[in-house]
Amino acid sequence: MKKDSSINIIQNQKYDEERALYGVKDIHVKNCEFDGPADGESAFKEGENIIVEDCYFNLRYPFWHDKKLRITNSKMTDACRAALWYSAEVEILKTKMYGIKALRECSNVKIIGCDIISPEFGWSVQNIDMTDCTAESEYFMMRSKNIKFKNVKMRGKYSFQYIEDSLFEYCVFNTKDAFWHAKNVTVRNSVIKGEYLAWYCENVTFENCKIIGTQPLCYCKGLKLMDCEMIDTDLCFEKSEVEAKITTPVISIKNPLSGHIYVPDVKEIIRDEKEANGKIFSGKEKYIIDNSK
């Protein structure tokens, strides 16, 4: 992205017309408002090498099909729906993103220090790094690939479904039905609270994590847990291929398909299907086959 004297500067302006800055290139927009009675859409559509700083967005679809875009210290209201679609090489810093479907079908995105309140955020995004952010959403990041999150706090439902090739570190997620059908994902040093965690996932690893909530990690393939806490977890690992080292007691484990589970204590082991051959090792007994009798 250019940052030299060839950049044109626009500042202290207000735009409300349709495609107000359509197709602009090499531009720095400062302290401008995109709002007003004309209620125009697509302010920056088809632009390139755009810097946006200290701006206010209250109209729809401002950044579609843009390349080399940097947004800093700005606000997108709940009326600014579908703010960034089909754009590439995007940086968003210290910005409030409050419109539904704020980011979709984009690539090579960095988001730092932002506050996100946006249902259906981040669908089908390729290569996204998010650091030091808060988010509230439903169906967050669905079908995205190559995600890297660090120190992200997120609240919502149905998050990270069908994602692939991703890494999460030092995050806190309070989210129901997270990581369903996820593939090739690692979660480290994080807290994940919610019901029905990561069903039908494949090659997902949790390292030094705290997992809270009922019926986690069922119908999984290639699942690994390394030195994880499991709090208020029951009916874990049903029909899963799992290798797990758990550092806290577990309420119940049900029909693990295969693998090895190490746990300091488990109140109940349910084995009512003959295909459930996963081995369970507890602190009280070297190897438990069935304690239901």
Side-chain angles (χ1 to χ4, degrees), residues 147-164:
I147 302 168
K148 292 184 179 179
F149 277 19
K150 188 172 183 179
N151 191 31
V152 174
K153 295 181 180 179
M154 184 269 163
R155 178 183 294 272
K157 297 180 181 179
Y158 323 124
S159 305
F160 310 113
Q161 293 190 358
Y162 297 96
I163 66 167
E164 297 184 20

Side-chain angles (χ1 to χ4, degrees), residues 122-129 140-149 159-168 179-186 200-204:
W123 288 16
S124 301
V125 175
Q126 307 287 325
N127 303 320
I128 176 171
D129 290 8
F140 189 61
M141 303 304 307
M142 189 166 70
R143 298 191 187 279
S144 289
K145 297 181 180 180
N146 299 314
I147 302 168
K148 292 184 179 179
F149 277 19
S159 305
F160 310 113
Q161 293 190 358
Y162 297 96
I163 66 167
E164 297 184 20
D165 305 322
S166 298
L167 173 64
F168 301 85
F179 298 103
W180 276 43
H181 300 277
K183 291 184 179 180
N184 307 323
V185 172
T186 298
Y200 309 105
C201 70
E202 185 173 346
N203 298 329
V204 172

Side-chain angles (χ1 to χ4, degrees), residues 233-237 250-256 261-273 276-293:
T233 49
D234 61 344
L235 305 173
C236 310
F237 308 120
V250 172
I251 296 171
S252 60
I253 295 172
K254 182 176 181 179
N255 292 330
I261 300 167
Y262 297 85
V263 60
D265 191 22
V266 54
K267 291 183 180 180
E268 182 183 14
I269 294 174
I270 302 165
R271 291 190 188 270
D272 52 17
E273 296 197 14
N277 294 313
K279 296 178 173 61
I280 302 169
F281 301 82
S282 87
K284 291 184 177 179
E285 300 179 53
K286 183 177 179 182
Y287 172 48
I288 300 175
I289 295 176
D290 188 355
N291 72 346
S292 63
K293 297 180 180 179

Side-chain angles (χ1 to χ4, degrees), residues 22-189:
Y22 177 83
V24 295
K25 295 184 179 181
D26 305 329
I27 193 167
H28 188 168
V29 180
K30 300 175 65 175
N31 194 34
C32 291
E33 293 186 20
F34 295 83
D35 190 18
D39 197 29
E41 302 173 352
S42 305
F44 288 89
K45 190 173 183 179
E46 303 280 3
E48 185 172 353
N49 196 41
I50 300 167
I51 300 172
V52 173
E53 183 180 1
D54 298 317
C55 289
Y56 175 81
F57 295 90
N58 198 43
L59 302 174
R60 298 169 298 282
Y61 324 137
F63 300 102
W64 282 39
H65 298 282
D66 291 321
K67 296 180 181 179
K68 298 181 181 178
L69 170 66
R70 180 183 176 94
I71 303 169
T72 305
N73 293 320
S74 296
K75 182 176 180 179
M76 304 172 186
T77 70
D78 58 359
C80 180
R81 61 182 294 128
L84 295 102
W85 284 36
Y86 313 114
S87 293
E89 298 180 57
V90 176
E91 294 182 5
I92 309 171
L93 294 83
K94 299 180 181 179
T95 291
K96 300 182 190 311
M97 306 175 71
Y98 291 166
I100 189 172
K101 306 176 184 179
L103 182 76
R104 286 202 187 181
E105 301 280 355
C106 293
S107 62
N108 301 323
V109 179
K110 291 185 179 180
I111 302 178
I112 302 172
C114 292
D115 182 31
I116 299 163
I117 303 175
S118 178
E120 302 179 19
F121 180 95
W123 288 16
S124 301
V125 175
Q126 307 287 325
N127 303 320
I128 176 171
D129 290 8
M130 186 181 293
T131 305
D132 300 332
C133 292
T134 58
E136 184 176 333
S137 185
E138 295 179 356
Y139 296 101
F140 189 61
M141 303 304 307
M142 189 166 70
R143 298 191 187 279
S144 289
K145 297 181 180 180
N146 299 314
I147 302 168
K148 292 184 179 179
F149 277 19
K150 188 172 183 179
N151 191 31
V152 174
K153 295 181 180 179
M154 184 269 163
R155 178 183 294 272
K157 297 180 181 179
Y158 323 124
S159 305
F160 310 113
Q161 293 190 358
Y162 297 96
I163 66 167
E164 297 184 20
D165 305 322
S166 298
L167 173 64
F168 301 85
E169 297 182 292
Y170 302 102
C171 293
V172 178
F173 300 139
N174 188 344
T175 173
K176 181 179 178 180
D177 291 4
F179 298 103
W180 276 43
H181 300 277
K183 291 184 179 180
N184 307 323
V185 172
T186 298
V187 185
R188 294 191 183 122
N189 302 307

